[in-house]
């Protein structure tokens, strides 16, 4: 919570990681958070030992900063994924431009949310974390249902006579399983992307122009309540310490009739 955190107590620091002060000896550094702004993508590999090998690995894939990005579940055996997470890059000999904004891609939408949070970290980040957790819980439930369907299908395709296939599962069963895993990975990649775009809109509406705007059924003009949180006490004290009476309102009434005596 030092000066580098700014008035909204962000965990991040700008690059470069090292810097110096003019006319002063020595070099200083910025701490690097585990989740960092410059992340291109991140994933968690979940290896399950209690399911058939073909469906054992799930990649929970995020397209930005690991502390703010939602993660879409992708079966490692899937042969297709959501278009929001797909694109050709240097592995395919294609130069991927990072200057072409595209709302259809998860990278850009997840960056929209994270970059909005960076500016008002102590207000927005807790909301982002909660939304990530709620979304992950729903996806885990959908994954369990799909696991069960795939497992049942594989059990029904076990061949007593085949010896050359994977654990006695017929090729048709394997093909069907890969199709189911691919369909799941594509469907819920799409859903994560559309959900996060809608979530960005909700955050932008609530936190635009320095306000915090929340629903209020009692309000007859906009059905909302508008608050201006302003600086926290610690930052206000810092301003006064550094500027003295520069911004102090003189005793007496101001133009709105408020008494500052």
């Amino acid at each position: 919570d030092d000066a580098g955190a700014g008035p909204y107590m962000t965990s991040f620091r700008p690059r470069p990681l090292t810097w110096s002060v003019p006319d002063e000896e020595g070099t200083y550094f910025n701490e690097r958070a585990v989740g960092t702004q410059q992340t291109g993508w991140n994933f968690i590999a979940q290896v399950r030992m209690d399911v058939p090998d073909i469906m054992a690995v799930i990649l929970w894939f995020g397209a930005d900063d690991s502390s703010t990005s939602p993660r879409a579940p992708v079966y490692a055996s899937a042969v297709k994924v959501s278009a929001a997470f797909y694109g050709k890059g240097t592995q395919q000999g294609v130069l991927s431009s990072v200057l072409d904004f595209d709302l259809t891609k998860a990278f850009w939408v997840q960056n929209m949310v994270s970059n909005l949070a960076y500016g008002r970290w102590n207000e927005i980040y807790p909301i982002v974390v909660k939304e990530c957790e709620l979304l992950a819980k729903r996806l885990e439930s959908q994954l369990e249902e799909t696991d069960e369907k795939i497992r049942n299908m594989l059990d029904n395709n076990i061949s007593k006579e085949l010896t050359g296939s994977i654990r006695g599962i017929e090729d048709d069963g394997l093909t069907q399983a890969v199709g189911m895993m691919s369909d799941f990975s594509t469907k819920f990649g799409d859903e994560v992307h559309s959900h996060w775009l809608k979530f960005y809109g909700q955050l932008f509406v609530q936190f635009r122009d320095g306000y915090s705007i929340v629903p209020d059924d009692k309000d007859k003009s906009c059905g909302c309540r508008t608050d201006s949180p302003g600086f926290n006490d610690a930052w206000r004290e810092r301003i006064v310490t550094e500027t003295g009476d520069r911004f102090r309102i003189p005793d007496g009434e101001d133009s709105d009739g408020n008494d500052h005596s």
Side-chain angles (χ1 to χ4, degrees):
D1 294 342
D2 56 39
Y8 294 103
M9 300 295 121
T10 180
S11 298
F12 299 96
R13 301 293 185 270
R15 297 296 178 99
L17 292 178
T18 59
W19 47 275
S20 58
V21 178
D23 301 323
E24 192 172 304
E25 293 184 0
T27 301
Y28 298 83
F29 70 92
N30 289 328
E31 292 180 315
R32 185 190 185 281
V34 174
T36 184
Q37 310 99 303
Q38 289 77 23
T39 304
W41 48 268
N42 71 89
F43 70 88
I44 297 173
Q46 179 184 6
V47 182
R48 290 98 56 85
M49 305 301 292
D50 57 342
V51 297
D53 290 350
I54 193 173
M55 54 186 290
V57 179
I58 303 293
L59 300 179
W60 293 89
F61 195 90
D64 187 35
D65 175 357
S66 59
S67 65
T68 58
S69 59
R71 294 183 176 89
V74 180
Y75 281 97
S77 294
V79 294
K80 63 178 181 178
V81 295
S82 165
F85 291 86
Y86 174 79
K88 292 183 178 180
T90 52
Q91 292 104 328
Q92 293 84 25
V94 177
L95 180 63
S96 298
S97 175
V98 296
L99 301 177
D100 296 329
F101 181 71
D102 188 350
L103 277 175
T104 69
K105 296 302 182 182
F107 172 79
W108 288 110
V109 171
Q110 293 185 20
N111 263 275
M112 287 160 60
V113 171
S114 62
N115 279 269
L116 186 63
Y118 296 151
R120 294 175 66 177
W121 186 253
N122 60 340
E123 294 178 284
I124 298 179
Y125 180 60
I127 299 174
V128 174
V129 171
K130 183 178 180 180
E131 194 68 22
C132 283
E133 292 173 345
L134 291 173
L135 182 57
K137 186 175 182 180
R138 181 164 66 84
L139 292 171
E140 288 169 357
S141 177
Q142 295 292 338
L143 179 62
E144 289 178 3
E145 291 182 13
T146 303
D147 277 347
E148 188 65 22
K149 292 177 182 178
I150 296 173
R151 193 198 298 264
N152 290 338
M153 185 278 300
L154 291 173
D155 288 342
N156 291 332
N157 279 274
I158 289 178
S159 171
K160 302 295 184 182
E161 300 176 359
L162 282 172
T163 58
S165 56
I166 300 177
R167 292 192 176 181
I169 300 174
E170 295 181 3
D171 288 342
D172 287 346
L174 292 176
T175 300
Q176 189 176 349
V178 169
M180 294 171 69
M181 288 184 280
S182 298
D183 289 344
F184 171 91
S185 302
T186 301
K187 176 183 178 181
F188 287 100
D190 288 345
E191 288 199 12
V192 167
H193 180 63
S194 60
H195 181 94
W196 219 240
L197 179 57
K198 182 179 180 180
F199 178 55
Y200 171 78
Q202 294 169 344
L203 288 175
F204 187 82
V205 166
Q206 180 176 351
F207 292 103
R208 68 184 186 276
D209 299 331
Y211 292 119
S212 177
I213 305 171
V214 296
D216 184 356
D217 294 336
K218 296 178 181 180
D219 183 89
K220 302 304 180 183
S221 60
C222 68
C224 63
R225 185 181 75 252
T226 301
D227 297 322
S228 299
F231 297 130
N232 59 42
D233 290 342
W235 200 256
R236 290 172 181 172
E237 291 175 2
R238 184 179 182 89
I239 292 173
V240 173
T241 299
E242 293 183 1
T243 64
D245 291 337
R246 179 180 178 184
F247 299 108
R248 183 183 178 90
I249 299 174
D251 292 344
E253 291 188 355
D254 60 22
S255 59
D256 294 324
N258 298 311
D259 187 1
H260 297 281
S261 298

